[in-house]
Amino acid sequence: MGSADRVELHVLVPHAEAARHALAISHLAVTREREVVVVEVEDRPGVLADLTRKVARAGVDLDLVYVATRNRLVFGSADLDGLRAVLQPSG
């Protein structure tokens, strides 16, 4: 997303340091990183709506939502602990 001079690319990785290194040797600058909550879901209609309603009922504001590969949804919030509490199963 962005203009010809500057673009924003979201890369979901399990190991940030390795990704930073790979991007650096490719002459790509990392200007921002953030932690997100990744939820594995069943591929069926309504799953995203169900989860976002659950987050809304808990009073957590989302500022990022996107679909990743292998039936995963990615959520971001300033309240990461609250988001985790809502979306990640306990136990």
Side-chain angles (χ1 to χ4, degrees), residues 44-57 65 73 75:
R44 65 170 174 76
V47 169
L48 179 58
D50 293 343
L51 289 174
T52 54
R53 272 192 293 272
K54 185 176 180 181
V55 170
R57 281 193 304 271
V65 177
L73 296 174
F75 295 89

Side-chain angles (χ1 to χ4, degrees), residues 16-90:
E17 185 62 37
R20 260 193 312 280
H21 177 72
L23 290 168
I25 63 175
S26 299
H27 306 288
L28 296 170
V30 175
T31 57
R32 188 171 82 124
E33 293 179 41
R34 72 181 295 185
E35 202 170 330
V36 294
V37 175
V38 180
V39 180
E40 292 188 28
V41 297
E42 181 183 343
D43 184 8
R44 65 170 174 76
V47 169
L48 179 58
D50 293 343
L51 289 174
T52 54
R53 272 192 293 272
K54 185 176 180 181
V55 170
R57 281 193 304 271
V60 176
D61 292 329
L62 295 172
D63 60 19
L64 176 74
V65 177
Y66 63 89
V67 177
T69 58
R70 296 188 308 266
N71 296 339
R72 295 176 298 163
L73 296 174
V74 180
F75 295 89
S77 175
D79 181 6
L80 205 54
D81 290 335
L83 187 59
R84 278 191 189 103
V86 172
L87 293 176
Q88 293 182 339
S90 58

